[in-house]
């Protein structure tokens, strides 16, 4: 069963906090420093931005994750510590050392994440004050996790946190996750941060494999604006305190764990898509009867990434021509003359194109479907048995407004 | 010297017309059928959309261009004849036969282009009426070319036409071009149509090479919204009436011709970018001191394609962090710690980032630069001697407005 509050402290042995340290100068009350801490060492896995321009904390965390062990994560929002040169890297190290000192652990067990504006060095005095008060506030209560989930947000409107407890041979194992998204979401881990904690007992290489697959089916299938950020990071820590028999590949327990993890990452990914800057709709594209899953996912991603499709979703316009057009430049070969397109929502389903051509359909019925908050396009390629999904949002006046004056 | 009116009739032996036939039902006065006709057969070259979903006229024209000879082009705006199945292809053939019959030439010497909404079959009665009146109106005057340039527009605000006359060993040779753009501009020939006519004497394979290179440096370096359309087409016809010695590769005359052709395509491409739906700025990105030209062009294209950069240009925000971020996901490796970024316009130039990090700069000075209509970003990689440019526009409220209700 899913629980929505205090997700990163839901698993045993995890504490968290979120405090206001004044990093976000534009808003003097928002929380902006978060901390996650495990009472025992964890195996850790990470997925990072593939942008050539990587923020200092990303480059730092990549090294920690290579070693595979960590106990804490310190996150600030409001300043990305990207494009900050040697000073940026020095600040990450100072952050890890300072936080590690307070927690009584080595600095190389502390992961560091940042999100916010690019090109400004961190205000280290306020960062340290934030870390000190976050450390004092660390709690394994739902409130601790909830505060942390608030502190990592930037222009996000909604909180993103969820946890599941599953039963592995009679042993309850909990996984919890929180995320932030908003702008720069795409292609492959855009300015999004996601943190997953679990008390599962699992080896690092198995954790890595599970996490990579979950990311590919969720966070890597969302798009808000096609911009891939300098800071995208997904981190997962497993501390083993549940006491389950170690999760091994190719077992029923592996599949059960994967299923729960995927529920969490898909939930968070959809929340991020829905919460795209200025968005009014969550838009899901599903490609069915494709020759293979990768092609299906690529086409679905191309559709949710199209500005023209996104503007049509905003306008509640059943413009299937833009959908098939975006499918056509996904870089995947298919026969357009076979394609059927359905538009769906809680208000019904309508076939708008068949065999690559338009159909006469009831525009009012289509409008009724498209006025719902969650809108789905199903593209049937009739060329195989594989399917794939992607999630995005509409392109609105508010997206432009938010991004025309974010920095100043 | 450049001439701006009646470009496609500037070269000897070319006639053109543009008439109102009622294809654009939303506007009952706009011209929507254009015709170009050469009094003698031409060698022809074409560049087409790489979208898997190609409109019927594109598939038809690709076959004609393979044969390499044509004499006329019939263009309609208002209906793209895309996703229209067998009927769509039948309509293209009927169009070519009808127009060829009136002009007294074979139907396989008639190229056909369409632009507009996707998924509706052509109103053939009105298309034919339009062709008949365009045929009656054919004229080698500037007015003929000017009318044609008007008739191919859709949501374009500005006319796009230009011609040059060059001197090849004492023989005047003229090249003229017209284009339409607006939405769906990117990557690689998006809903844009471009038509170039010249009286140069030149072999088909040489023409093809010249045109491909000119397209790569101009139309393939523009982006309005990253959507590549089903109909993108660039066609070039050369009728040889100038009487120059045939232009051969590796000669001075080849270079002179290329230079003039590139002036024309770059002019038209920039006009298309500036005329992006809802745009208020033309935005040029230039990448200098890159290891090679292709990498420079790829990075420049990534920058002008970023929604976040485009929104910042709209907001007159010197947000260089988004520029370096978009450079970082272009798929080209470079050292971010070497990068300098300048913002420029007619009002001056300002260095906003140096060696991959931000600089303190005068925000008022930056605003003064960014308030100009034509804005430039120069990204210095300090990693070689090659450079490349790309052009785009800002992302505005009006882009969203235009595309939220284009179809309905």
């Amino acid at each position: 069963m899913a629980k929505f509050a205090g997700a990163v402290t839901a698993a045993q042995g995890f504490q968290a906090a979120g405090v206001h340290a004044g990093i976000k100068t534009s808003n003097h009350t928002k929380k902006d420093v978060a901390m996650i801490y495990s009472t025992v060492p964890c195996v850790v896995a990470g997925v990072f931005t593939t942008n050539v321009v990587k923020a200092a904390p990303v480059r730092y965390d990549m090294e920690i994750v290579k070693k595979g062990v960590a106990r804490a994560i310190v996150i600030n929002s409001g300043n990305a510590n990207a494009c900050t040169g040697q000073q940026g890297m020095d600040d990450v190290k100072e952050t890890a050392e300072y936080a590690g000192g307070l927690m009584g652990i080595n600095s190389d067990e502390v992961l560091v994440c940042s999100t916010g504006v690019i090109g400004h060095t961190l205000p280290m005095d306020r960062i340290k004050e934030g870390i000190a008060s976050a450390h004092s506030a660390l709690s394994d209560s739902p409130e601790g996790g909830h505060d942390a989930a608030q502190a990592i947000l930037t222009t996000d409107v909604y909180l993103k946190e969820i946890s599941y407890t599953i039963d592995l041979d009679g042993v309850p194992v909990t996984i919890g996750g929180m995320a932030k998204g908003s702008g720069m979401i795409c292609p492959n881990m855009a300015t999004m941060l996601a943190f997953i904690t679990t008390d599962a007992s699992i080896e690092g290489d198995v954790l890595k494999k599970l996490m990579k697959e979950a990311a590919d089916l969720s966070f890597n299938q969302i798009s808000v604006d096609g911009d891939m950020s300098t800071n995208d990071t997904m981190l997962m820590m497993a501390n083993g305190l549940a006491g389950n028999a170690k999760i091994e590949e190719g077992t029923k327990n592996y599949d059960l764990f994967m299923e729960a993890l995927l529920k969490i990452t898909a939930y968070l990914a959809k929340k991020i898509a829905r919460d795209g800057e200025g968005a009014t709709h969550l838009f899901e594209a599903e490609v069915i009867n494709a020759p293979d899953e990768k092609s299906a996912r690529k086409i679905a991603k191309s559709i949710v990434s199209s500005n023209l499709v996104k503007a049509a979703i905003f306008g509640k316009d059943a413009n299937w021509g833009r959908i098939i057009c975006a499918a056509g430049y996904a870089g995947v070969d298919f026969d357009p003359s076979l394609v059927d397109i359905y538009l769906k929502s809680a208000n019904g389903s309508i076939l708008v194109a068949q065999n690559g051509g338009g159909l006469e359909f009831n525009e009012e019925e289509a409008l009724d479907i498209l006025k719902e908050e969650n809108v789905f396009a199903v593209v049937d390629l009739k060329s195989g048995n594989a399917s794939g999904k992607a999630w995005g949002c509409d392109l609105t006046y508010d997206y432009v407004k938010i991004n025309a004056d974010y920095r100043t």
Side-chain angles (χ1 to χ4, degrees), chain A:
Chain A
M1 212 187 62
K3 287 201 303 182
F4 296 96
V8 292
T9 49
Q12 291 180 59
F14 283 100
Q15 304 175 358
V19 300
H20 164 67
I23 318 293
K24 290 173 182 161
T25 46
S26 61
N27 187 315
H28 286 284
T29 58
K30 276 196 178 169
K31 295 187 175 70
D32 47 20
V33 170
M35 190 180 277
I36 301 174
Y37 170 75
S38 170
T39 56
V40 297
C42 301
V43 291
V44 64
V47 177
F48 302 95
T49 182
T50 57
N51 196 314
V52 171
V53 184
K54 291 177 172 67
V58 171
R59 284 177 281 134
Y60 174 86
D61 288 351
M62 288 173 84
E63 293 305 312
I64 305 278
V65 164
K66 263 187 211 160
K67 288 187 274 182
V69 178
R71 270 180 78 171
I73 310 175
V74 174
I75 310 134
N76 78 275
S77 57
N79 183 321
N81 192 11
C83 303
T84 45
Q86 186 54 45
Q87 185 64 48
M89 188 54 86
D90 292 346
D91 289 344
V92 176
K93 287 178 181 159
E94 193 180 339
T95 300
E97 272 159 28
Y98 184 73
L102 290 176
M103 294 183 268
I105 61 177
N106 286 333
S107 68
D108 69 358
E109 294 177 289
V110 181
L111 293 150
V112 178
C113 293
S114 297
T115 176
V117 275
I118 293 174
H120 295 268
T121 53
L122 289 175
M124 283 307 291
D125 50 343
R126 273 172 282 158
I127 292 281
K128 282 182 173 174
E129 281 172 37
I131 290 170
S133 53
H135 178 251
S136 308
L138 275 176
S139 157
D140 58 6
S141 68
E143 287 70 30
H146 190 65
D147 288 347
Q150 286 180 302
I152 63 174
L153 304 182
T154 55
T155 50
D156 304 63
V157 176
Y158 306 108
L159 266 175
K160 300 164 186 76
E161 49 175 343
I162 189 169
S163 67
Y164 279 91
T165 299
I166 55 173
D167 184 300
L168 298 185
D169 303 324
V171 179
V173 170
T174 298
I175 317 172
M178 66 179 191
K180 66 87 41 182
S182 221
M184 272 200 194
I185 304 298
C186 179
N188 292 318
M189 307 291 293
T191 297
M192 52 150 286
L193 300 176
F195 305 98
I196 316 278
T197 55
T198 179
D199 47 23
S201 174
I202 188 168
E203 293 288 348
D205 54 347
V206 182
L207 184 73
K208 191 175 163 183
K209 195 175 150 74
L210 276 161
M211 198 186 72
K212 175 73 174 67
E213 190 176 339
D216 278 345
L217 292 169
S218 57
F219 298 121
N220 285 340
Q221 283 299 103
I222 56 176
S223 172
V224 166
D225 53 20
D227 277 77
M228 175 167 47
S229 104
T230 50
N231 288 58
D232 309 327
T233 302
M234 175 186 183
L235 293 170
M236 182 163 180
M237 297 205 295
N239 66 14
L241 289 178
N244 58 296
K246 267 193 184 158
I247 298 170
E248 305 283 358
E249 235 187 298
T251 62
K252 179 181 59 85
N253 284 352
Y254 182 96
D255 293 343
L256 287 172
F257 190 85
M258 182 71 212
E259 189 189 345
L261 177 60
L262 195 53
K263 272 188 197 165
I264 289 169
T265 57
Y267 171 86
L268 295 174
K270 278 192 251 186
K271 277 273 177 188
I272 289 173
R274 170 63 186 87
D275 203 7
E277 285 170 342
T280 64
H281 290 88
L282 171 67
F283 175 51
E284 175 181 303
E286 182 177 15
V287 174
I288 62 172
N289 298 318
D292 60 89
E293 285 186 17
K294 206 175 158 191
S295 297
R297 288 208 296 270
K298 242 176 133 172
I299 293 172
K301 180 90 175 268
S302 184
I303 293 167
V304 301
S305 303
S306 157
N307 272 357
L308 287 170
V309 171
K310 289 150 60 82
I313 296 298
F314 175 53
K316 304 176 188 62
D317 177 7
N319 199 321
W320 61 268
R322 292 181 185 170
I323 293 174
I324 197 170
C325 177
Y329 61 73
V332 174
D333 200 24
F334 63 89
D335 182 351
S337 73
L338 295 177
V339 174
D340 293 351
I341 301 175
Y342 300 82
L343 295 174
K344 287 164 65 173
S345 77
N347 290 348
S349 172
I350 189 168
L351 181 66
V352 289
Q354 194 166 37
N355 299 326
L359 289 178
E360 293 292 326
F361 57 85
N362 185 323
E363 292 279 354
E364 274 180 39
E365 198 185 333
L367 181 63
D368 200 48
I369 287 167
L370 294 176
K371 76 182 183 197
E372 277 291 296
E373 185 181 332
N374 296 332
V375 173
F376 303 78
V378 179
V379 176
D380 187 347
L381 298 186
K382 298 186 213 153
S383 309
N385 299 306
S387 62
K389 289 182 183 179
W391 300 275
C393 59
D394 50 347
L395 176 63
T396 69
Y397 299 123
D398 279 352
Y399 176 87
V400 178
K401 189 173 177 190
I402 290 165
N403 286 299
D405 50 27
Y406 174 69
R407 192 188 58 103
T408 46

